[in-house]
Amino acid sequence: DTAVSQTPKYLVTQMGNDKSIKCEQNLGHDTMYWYKQDSKKFLKIMFSYNNKELIINETVPNRFSPKSPDKAHLNLHINSLELGDSAVYFCASSHGAEGYGYTFGSGTRLTVV
Amino acid sequence: AQKVTQAQTEISVVEKEDVTLDCVYETRDTTYYLFWYKQPPSGELVFLIRRNSFDEQNEISGRYSWNFQKSTSSFNFTITASQVVDSAVYFCALDRPGTASKLTFGTGTRLQVTL
């Protein structure tokens, strides 16, 4: 009964490929996020969705496209992967405008070779 | 713009020592939320505390305590009698209210507790 689950946990792929990371939450939260943690451990928001609507897009390249089919799911598709995309990607969810119950998934370590 | 500064990049202590992790934030919002997260070597982000800007009471949870001082825009975290299992990277984060809510993280402090 994992609260925020993301798959896969590890992803190794070649430059130029397209890949997706899936995220699902069973907490009934209305807001979901993608955060990126780089090799220096710096965590930065990429996107947020509230009830399937894109709210935040933090100057992320167009190669990254989030998709939210319903408020329990937020997937991340990445086209034409580059070496610099190697990072850990965290999905998160929260409830309401005050960010109650901010919960993170366990992360997806993406390695582009 | 919101900003969180964790000036201590890395701290090493011997088990049973007390250690304080510093966090200084900047925001123009009058209502905001402060968080601490722990990231152990296994990589997950573990929620420790959430505090809103109107609640300046210090909080204690077991060996953990937090000191929120609005006057100095600081939200420091103290671990009493540290243990090896406390070894991790600790992140302080700031959130704004509203549908554009997002966590702004500090750069993290790596705590190493040795025997």
Short mmCIF file of all heavy atoms in Angstrom, two decimals, chain B residues 35-85:
data_model
loop_
_atom_site.label_atom_id
_atom_site.label_comp_id
_atom_site.label_asym_id
_atom_site.label_seq_id
_atom_site.Cartn_x
_atom_site.Cartn_y
_atom_site.Cartn_z
N PHE B 35 9.92 23.08 5.86
CA PHE B 35 10.01 21.62 5.99
C PHE B 35 11.46 21.21 6.24
O PHE B 35 12.41 21.91 5.86
CB PHE B 35 9.60 20.93 4.67
CG PHE B 35 8.16 21.13 4.26
CD1 PHE B 35 7.74 22.34 3.72
CD2 PHE B 35 7.25 20.10 4.38
CE1 PHE B 35 6.42 22.51 3.32
CE2 PHE B 35 5.93 20.26 3.96
CZ PHE B 35 5.52 21.46 3.44
N TRP B 36 11.60 20.05 6.84
CA TRP B 36 12.88 19.34 6.85
C TRP B 36 12.63 17.93 6.33
O TRP B 36 11.64 17.29 6.70
CB TRP B 36 13.48 19.26 8.25
CG TRP B 36 14.28 20.47 8.64
CD1 TRP B 36 13.84 21.55 9.34
CD2 TRP B 36 15.66 20.72 8.36
NE1 TRP B 36 14.85 22.46 9.50
CE2 TRP B 36 15.98 21.97 8.91
CE3 TRP B 36 16.65 20.00 7.70
CZ2 TRP B 36 17.26 22.53 8.82
CZ3 TRP B 36 17.92 20.53 7.61
CH2 TRP B 36 18.21 21.79 8.17
N TYR B 37 13.56 17.49 5.46
CA TYR B 37 13.53 16.13 4.93
C TYR B 37 14.88 15.48 5.18
O TYR B 37 15.93 16.13 5.17
CB TYR B 37 13.25 16.11 3.42
CG TYR B 37 11.82 16.34 3.06
CD1 TYR B 37 11.33 17.63 2.89
CD2 TYR B 37 10.95 15.28 2.87
CE1 TYR B 37 10.01 17.85 2.57
CE2 TYR B 37 9.62 15.49 2.54
CZ TYR B 37 9.17 16.78 2.40
OH TYR B 37 7.85 17.00 2.07
N LYS B 38 14.83 14.18 5.36
CA LYS B 38 16.05 13.37 5.52
C LYS B 38 16.19 12.47 4.30
O LYS B 38 15.21 11.86 3.86
CB LYS B 38 15.93 12.51 6.78
CG LYS B 38 17.06 11.51 7.00
CD LYS B 38 16.81 10.68 8.25
CE LYS B 38 17.92 9.65 8.46
NZ LYS B 38 17.68 8.82 9.68
N GLN B 39 17.39 12.42 3.74
CA GLN B 39 17.64 11.51 2.62
C GLN B 39 18.78 10.58 3.03
O GLN B 39 19.96 10.91 2.95
CB GLN B 39 18.00 12.26 1.34
CG GLN B 39 18.09 11.34 0.12
CD GLN B 39 18.26 12.09 -1.17
OE1 GLN B 39 19.02 13.04 -1.26
NE2 GLN B 39 17.55 11.66 -2.21
N PRO B 40 18.43 9.37 3.50
CA PRO B 40 19.48 8.41 3.88
C PRO B 40 20.18 7.87 2.65
O PRO B 40 19.76 8.15 1.52
CB PRO B 40 18.67 7.32 4.61
CG PRO B 40 17.29 7.43 4.06
CD PRO B 40 17.08 8.87 3.69
N PRO B 41 21.24 7.09 2.84
CA PRO B 41 21.98 6.55 1.69
C PRO B 41 21.11 5.76 0.72
O PRO B 41 21.44 5.66 -0.47
CB PRO B 41 23.04 5.67 2.34
CG PRO B 41 23.25 6.28 3.69
CD PRO B 41 21.90 6.79 4.11
N SER B 42 20.01 5.22 1.18
CA SER B 42 19.12 4.45 0.29
C SER B 42 18.40 5.35 -0.71
O SER B 42 17.85 4.86 -1.69
CB SER B 42 18.11 3.66 1.11
OG SER B 42 17.48 4.51 2.05
N GLY B 43 18.39 6.66 -0.47
CA GLY B 43 17.94 7.60 -1.48
C GLY B 43 16.54 8.17 -1.36
O GLY B 43 16.23 9.15 -2.02
N GLU B 44 15.69 7.59 -0.54
CA GLU B 44 14.33 8.13 -0.46
C GLU B 44 14.31 9.42 0.36
O GLU B 44 15.23 9.69 1.13
CB GLU B 44 13.36 7.11 0.14
CG GLU B 44 13.52 6.86 1.62
CD GLU B 44 14.53 5.78 1.95
OE1 GLU B 44 15.42 5.52 1.12
OE2 GLU B 44 14.43 5.21 3.04
N LEU B 45 13.29 10.22 0.18
CA LEU B 45 13.14 11.47 0.93
C LEU B 45 12.13 11.23 2.05
O LEU B 45 10.97 10.94 1.80
CB LEU B 45 12.66 12.59 0.02
CG LEU B 45 13.72 13.14 -0.92
CD1 LEU B 45 13.07 13.91 -2.06
CD2 LEU B 45 14.69 14.04 -0.17
N VAL B 46 12.61 11.38 3.27
CA VAL B 46 11.77 11.10 4.43
C VAL B 46 11.35 12.41 5.08
O VAL B 46 12.18 13.22 5.47
CB VAL B 46 12.55 10.23 5.46
CG1 VAL B 46 11.67 9.98 6.68
CG2 VAL B 46 13.01 8.94 4.82
N PHE B 47 10.05 12.62 5.17
CA PHE B 47 9.50 13.83 5.79
C PHE B 47 9.79 13.83 7.29
O PHE B 47 9.58 12.83 7.98
CB PHE B 47 7.99 13.86 5.53
CG PHE B 47 7.23 14.88 6.32
CD1 PHE B 47 7.19 16.19 5.91
CD2 PHE B 47 6.56 14.52 7.48
CE1 PHE B 47 6.48 17.14 6.64
CE2 PHE B 47 5.85 15.46 8.21
CZ PHE B 47 5.81 16.76 7.79
N LEU B 48 10.27 14.98 7.79
CA LEU B 48 10.52 15.09 9.23
C LEU B 48 9.56 16.05 9.90
O LEU B 48 9.00 15.75 10.95
CB LEU B 48 11.96 15.56 9.47
CG LEU B 48 13.07 14.61 9.02
CD1 LEU B 48 14.43 15.24 9.27
CD2 LEU B 48 12.95 13.26 9.72
N ILE B 49 9.36 17.23 9.31
CA ILE B 49 8.52 18.23 9.95
C ILE B 49 8.02 19.25 8.93
O ILE B 49 8.69 19.51 7.92
CB ILE B 49 9.27 18.97 11.09
CG1 ILE B 49 8.29 19.82 11.90
CG2 ILE B 49 10.41 19.80 10.52
CD1 ILE B 49 8.88 20.40 13.16
N ARG B 50 6.84 19.78 9.18
CA ARG B 50 6.27 20.89 8.44
C ARG B 50 5.83 21.93 9.46
O ARG B 50 5.19 21.61 10.44
CB ARG B 50 5.05 20.43 7.62
CG ARG B 50 4.28 21.55 6.93
CD ARG B 50 3.02 20.96 6.29
NE ARG B 50 2.21 21.95 5.62
CZ ARG B 50 1.32 22.73 6.23
NH1 ARG B 50 1.15 22.66 7.52
NH2 ARG B 50 0.62 23.59 5.53
N ARG B 51 6.20 23.18 9.21
CA ARG B 51 5.85 24.25 10.15
C ARG B 51 5.33 25.43 9.37
O ARG B 51 5.93 25.83 8.39
CB ARG B 51 7.10 24.62 10.96
CG ARG B 51 7.01 25.79 11.89
CD ARG B 51 5.85 25.66 12.83
NE ARG B 51 5.81 24.40 13.54
CZ ARG B 51 6.45 24.18 14.69
NH1 ARG B 51 7.19 25.12 15.24
NH2 ARG B 51 6.35 23.02 15.29
N ASN B 52 4.18 26.00 9.80
CA ASN B 52 3.70 27.18 9.09
C ASN B 52 4.25 28.45 9.73
O ASN B 52 4.66 28.45 10.89
CB ASN B 52 2.17 27.18 8.95
CG ASN B 52 1.47 27.64 10.21
OD1 ASN B 52 1.77 28.70 10.76
ND2 ASN B 52 0.51 26.86 10.65
N SER B 53 4.22 29.52 8.98
CA SER B 53 4.90 30.75 9.38
C SER B 53 4.27 31.42 10.59
O SER B 53 4.88 32.30 11.21
CB SER B 53 4.93 31.74 8.21
OG SER B 53 3.63 31.93 7.68
N PHE B 54 3.06 31.01 10.95
CA PHE B 54 2.40 31.64 12.09
C PHE B 54 2.63 30.88 13.39
O PHE B 54 2.18 31.30 14.45
CB PHE B 54 0.89 31.76 11.83
CG PHE B 54 0.59 32.68 10.67
CD1 PHE B 54 0.13 32.17 9.47
CD2 PHE B 54 0.81 34.04 10.77
CE1 PHE B 54 -0.12 33.00 8.40
CE2 PHE B 54 0.57 34.88 9.70
CZ PHE B 54 0.09 34.36 8.52
N ASP B 55 3.32 29.78 13.28
CA ASP B 55 3.54 28.95 14.46
C ASP B 55 5.02 28.96 14.79
O ASP B 55 5.79 28.17 14.24
CB ASP B 55 3.04 27.53 14.19
CG ASP B 55 3.22 26.63 15.40
OD1 ASP B 55 3.67 27.12 16.46
OD2 ASP B 55 2.90 25.44 15.28
N GLU B 56 5.42 29.82 15.71
CA GLU B 56 6.84 29.94 16.04
C GLU B 56 7.25 29.09 17.23
O GLU B 56 8.36 29.20 17.72
CB GLU B 56 7.20 31.40 16.31
CG GLU B 56 7.26 32.24 15.05
CD GLU B 56 7.93 33.58 15.29
OE1 GLU B 56 9.15 33.60 15.48
OE2 GLU B 56 7.21 34.59 15.29
N GLN B 57 6.35 28.26 17.69
CA GLN B 57 6.71 27.40 18.80
C GLN B 57 7.77 26.40 18.37
O GLN B 57 7.68 25.83 17.28
CB GLN B 57 5.48 26.62 19.28
CG GLN B 57 4.60 27.41 20.21
CD GLN B 57 3.68 26.51 20.99
OE1 GLN B 57 3.37 25.40 20.58
NE2 GLN B 57 3.23 26.98 22.13
N ASN B 58 8.74 26.20 19.22
CA ASN B 58 9.71 25.17 18.93
C ASN B 58 9.07 23.80 19.09
O ASN B 58 8.10 23.64 19.82
CB ASN B 58 10.92 25.31 19.86
CG ASN B 58 11.72 26.55 19.54
OD1 ASN B 58 11.72 27.02 18.41
ND2 ASN B 58 12.38 27.09 20.53
N GLU B 59 9.62 22.84 18.38
CA GLU B 59 9.03 21.50 18.43
C GLU B 59 10.10 20.47 18.76
O GLU B 59 11.25 20.58 18.32
CB GLU B 59 8.38 21.18 17.08
CG GLU B 59 7.75 19.79 17.05
CD GLU B 59 6.57 19.69 16.11
OE1 GLU B 59 6.03 20.74 15.70
OE2 GLU B 59 6.20 18.56 15.78
N ILE B 60 9.68 19.49 19.53
CA ILE B 60 10.59 18.40 19.89
C ILE B 60 9.90 17.09 19.55
O ILE B 60 8.71 16.90 19.85
CB ILE B 60 10.93 18.43 21.40
CG1 ILE B 60 11.67 19.72 21.75
CG2 ILE B 60 11.78 17.22 21.78
CD1 ILE B 60 11.92 19.90 23.23
N SER B 61 10.65 16.21 18.91
CA SER B 61 10.13 14.88 18.61
C SER B 61 11.25 13.89 18.88
O SER B 61 12.15 13.70 18.08
CB SER B 61 9.69 14.80 17.14
OG SER B 61 9.28 13.49 16.81
N GLY B 62 11.21 13.29 20.03
CA GLY B 62 12.27 12.37 20.42
C GLY B 62 13.61 13.08 20.51
O GLY B 62 13.75 14.05 21.26
N ARG B 63 14.58 12.63 19.73
CA ARG B 63 15.91 13.26 19.76
C ARG B 63 16.00 14.47 18.83
O ARG B 63 17.03 15.13 18.78
CB ARG B 63 16.97 12.22 19.35
CG ARG B 63 17.11 11.04 20.30
CD ARG B 63 18.22 10.10 19.88
NE ARG B 63 17.98 9.49 18.58
CZ ARG B 63 18.63 9.81 17.47
NH1 ARG B 63 19.56 10.73 17.48
NH2 ARG B 63 18.35 9.19 16.32
N TYR B 64 14.92 14.72 18.09
CA TYR B 64 14.92 15.82 17.13
C TYR B 64 14.23 17.04 17.72
O TYR B 64 13.20 16.90 18.40
CB TYR B 64 14.15 15.42 15.86
CG TYR B 64 14.73 14.30 15.03
CD1 TYR B 64 13.98 13.74 14.00
CD2 TYR B 64 16.01 13.81 15.24
CE1 TYR B 64 14.50 12.73 13.20
CE2 TYR B 64 16.53 12.81 14.46
CZ TYR B 64 15.77 12.26 13.43
OH TYR B 64 16.29 11.26 12.66
N SER B 65 14.78 18.21 17.44
CA SER B 65 14.10 19.44 17.82
C SER B 65 14.34 20.49 16.75
O SER B 65 15.35 20.45 16.04
CB SER B 65 14.57 19.92 19.19
OG SER B 65 15.94 20.21 19.17
N TRP B 66 13.38 21.41 16.66
CA TRP B 66 13.46 22.45 15.65
C TRP B 66 13.25 23.80 16.30
O TRP B 66 12.37 23.98 17.15
CB TRP B 66 12.38 22.23 14.57
CG TRP B 66 12.66 21.03 13.72
CD1 TRP B 66 13.36 20.99 12.56
CD2 TRP B 66 12.24 19.69 13.98
NE1 TRP B 66 13.40 19.72 12.07
CE2 TRP B 66 12.74 18.89 12.92
CE3 TRP B 66 11.51 19.08 14.99
CZ2 TRP B 66 12.52 17.52 12.85
CZ3 TRP B 66 11.29 17.71 14.93
CH2 TRP B 66 11.80 16.94 13.86
N ASN B 67 14.06 24.75 15.89
CA ASN B 67 13.99 26.12 16.40
C ASN B 67 13.65 27.05 15.26
O ASN B 67 14.46 27.27 14.35
CB ASN B 67 15.34 26.48 17.04
CG ASN B 67 15.31 27.85 17.67
OD1 ASN B 67 14.95 28.83 17.04
ND2 ASN B 67 15.65 27.92 18.94
N PHE B 68 12.43 27.60 15.29
CA PHE B 68 11.96 28.50 14.23
C PHE B 68 12.04 29.92 14.77
O PHE B 68 11.40 30.24 15.77
CB PHE B 68 10.52 28.13 13.86
CG PHE B 68 9.88 29.03 12.83
CD1 PHE B 68 10.63 29.70 11.88
CD2 PHE B 68 8.50 29.18 12.81
CE1 PHE B 68 10.03 30.51 10.93
CE2 PHE B 68 7.89 30.00 11.86
CZ PHE B 68 8.65 30.66 10.93
N GLN B 69 12.81 30.77 14.10
CA GLN B 69 12.93 32.16 14.51
C GLN B 69 12.65 33.05 13.31
O GLN B 69 13.50 33.22 12.42
CB GLN B 69 14.32 32.44 15.06
CG GLN B 69 14.68 31.63 16.29
CD GLN B 69 15.44 32.45 17.31
OE1 GLN B 69 16.05 33.46 16.96
NE2 GLN B 69 15.41 32.03 18.56
N LYS B 70 11.45 33.63 13.31
CA LYS B 70 11.07 34.49 12.19
C LYS B 70 11.96 35.72 12.11
O LYS B 70 12.25 36.22 11.03
CB LYS B 70 9.61 34.93 12.38
CG LYS B 70 8.67 34.39 11.35
CD LYS B 70 7.27 34.72 11.73
CE LYS B 70 6.49 35.12 10.51
NZ LYS B 70 5.06 35.25 10.78
N SER B 71 12.39 36.22 13.26
CA SER B 71 13.18 37.45 13.28
C SER B 71 14.49 37.31 12.51
O SER B 71 15.01 38.28 11.95
CB SER B 71 13.46 37.88 14.72
OG SER B 71 14.17 36.85 15.41
N THR B 72 15.01 36.10 12.48
CA THR B 72 16.27 35.86 11.76
C THR B 72 16.06 34.97 10.54
O THR B 72 17.02 34.55 9.90
CB THR B 72 17.31 35.20 12.69
OG1 THR B 72 16.74 34.00 13.24
CG2 THR B 72 17.73 36.14 13.80
N SER B 73 14.78 34.71 10.22
CA SER B 73 14.44 33.84 9.06
C SER B 73 15.22 32.53 9.11
O SER B 73 15.85 32.12 8.13
CB SER B 73 14.73 34.57 7.75
OG SER B 73 13.94 35.71 7.62
N SER B 74 15.18 31.91 10.27
CA SER B 74 15.92 30.66 10.40
C SER B 74 15.02 29.54 10.93
O SER B 74 14.06 29.80 11.67
CB SER B 74 17.13 30.84 11.31
OG SER B 74 16.71 31.15 12.64
N PHE B 75 15.32 28.35 10.55
CA PHE B 75 14.57 27.17 10.98
C PHE B 75 15.59 26.05 11.17
O PHE B 75 15.79 25.20 10.32
CB PHE B 75 13.53 26.82 9.92
CG PHE B 75 12.57 25.71 10.32
CD1 PHE B 75 12.00 25.68 11.58
CD2 PHE B 75 12.22 24.72 9.41
CE1 PHE B 75 11.11 24.68 11.95
CE2 PHE B 75 11.32 23.72 9.76
CZ PHE B 75 10.76 23.69 11.03
N ASN B 76 16.25 26.08 12.33
CA ASN B 76 17.35 25.17 12.58
C ASN B 76 16.89 23.85 13.18
O ASN B 76 15.87 23.80 13.88
CB ASN B 76 18.38 25.82 13.49
CG ASN B 76 19.03 27.03 12.84
OD1 ASN B 76 19.03 27.17 11.62
ND2 ASN B 76 19.55 27.93 13.66
N PHE B 77 17.65 22.83 12.93
CA PHE B 77 17.30 21.45 13.30
C PHE B 77 18.42 20.88 14.16
O PHE B 77 19.58 20.90 13.75
CB PHE B 77 17.12 20.66 12.00
CG PHE B 77 16.92 19.18 12.15
CD1 PHE B 77 16.27 18.63 13.24
CD2 PHE B 77 17.38 18.32 11.16
CE1 PHE B 77 16.08 17.26 13.35
CE2 PHE B 77 17.20 16.95 11.25
CZ PHE B 77 16.55 16.41 12.35
N THR B 78 18.06 20.40 15.33
CA THR B 78 19.05 19.84 16.25
C THR B 78 18.77 18.36 16.49
O THR B 78 17.62 17.98 16.75
CB THR B 78 19.07 20.59 17.59
OG1 THR B 78 19.47 21.94 17.36
CG2 THR B 78 20.04 19.94 18.58
N ILE B 79 19.81 17.57 16.38
CA ILE B 79 19.71 16.16 16.74
C ILE B 79 20.50 15.98 18.03
O ILE B 79 21.71 16.31 18.09
CB ILE B 79 20.29 15.24 15.65
CG1 ILE B 79 19.56 15.47 14.32
CG2 ILE B 79 20.18 13.77 16.08
CD1 ILE B 79 20.14 14.69 13.15
N THR B 80 19.84 15.49 19.04
CA THR B 80 20.48 15.27 20.34
C THR B 80 20.96 13.83 20.41
O THR B 80 20.28 12.92 19.94
CB THR B 80 19.46 15.53 21.47
OG1 THR B 80 18.96 16.87 21.32
CG2 THR B 80 20.10 15.38 22.83
N ALA B 81 22.15 13.66 20.99
CA ALA B 81 22.71 12.31 21.15
C ALA B 81 22.66 11.56 19.82
O ALA B 81 21.99 10.52 19.68
CB ALA B 81 21.97 11.54 22.24
N SER B 82 23.37 12.08 18.85
CA SER B 82 23.32 11.53 17.48
C SER B 82 23.70 10.05 17.46
O SER B 82 24.43 9.55 18.32
CB SER B 82 24.26 12.32 16.57
OG SER B 82 25.58 12.27 17.07
N GLN B 83 23.16 9.37 16.46
CA GLN B 83 23.42 7.95 16.26
C GLN B 83 23.87 7.73 14.83
O GLN B 83 23.59 8.54 13.94
CB GLN B 83 22.14 7.14 16.53
CG GLN B 83 21.61 7.28 17.94
CD GLN B 83 20.30 6.55 18.14
OE1 GLN B 83 19.78 5.89 17.23
NE2 GLN B 83 19.74 6.65 19.34
N VAL B 84 24.53 6.61 14.61
CA VAL B 84 25.02 6.30 13.26
C VAL B 84 23.88 6.31 12.24
O VAL B 84 24.05 6.75 11.10
CB VAL B 84 25.77 4.94 13.26
CG1 VAL B 84 26.10 4.52 11.84
CG2 VAL B 84 27.03 5.03 14.10
N VAL B 85 22.71 5.88 12.67
CA VAL B 85 21.56 5.84 11.74
C VAL B 85 21.08 7.23 11.33
O VAL B 85 20.27 7.37 10.41
CB VAL B 85 20.35 5.07 12.34
CG1 VAL B 85 20.69 3.62 12.48
CG2 VAL B 85 19.92 5.69 13.65
#
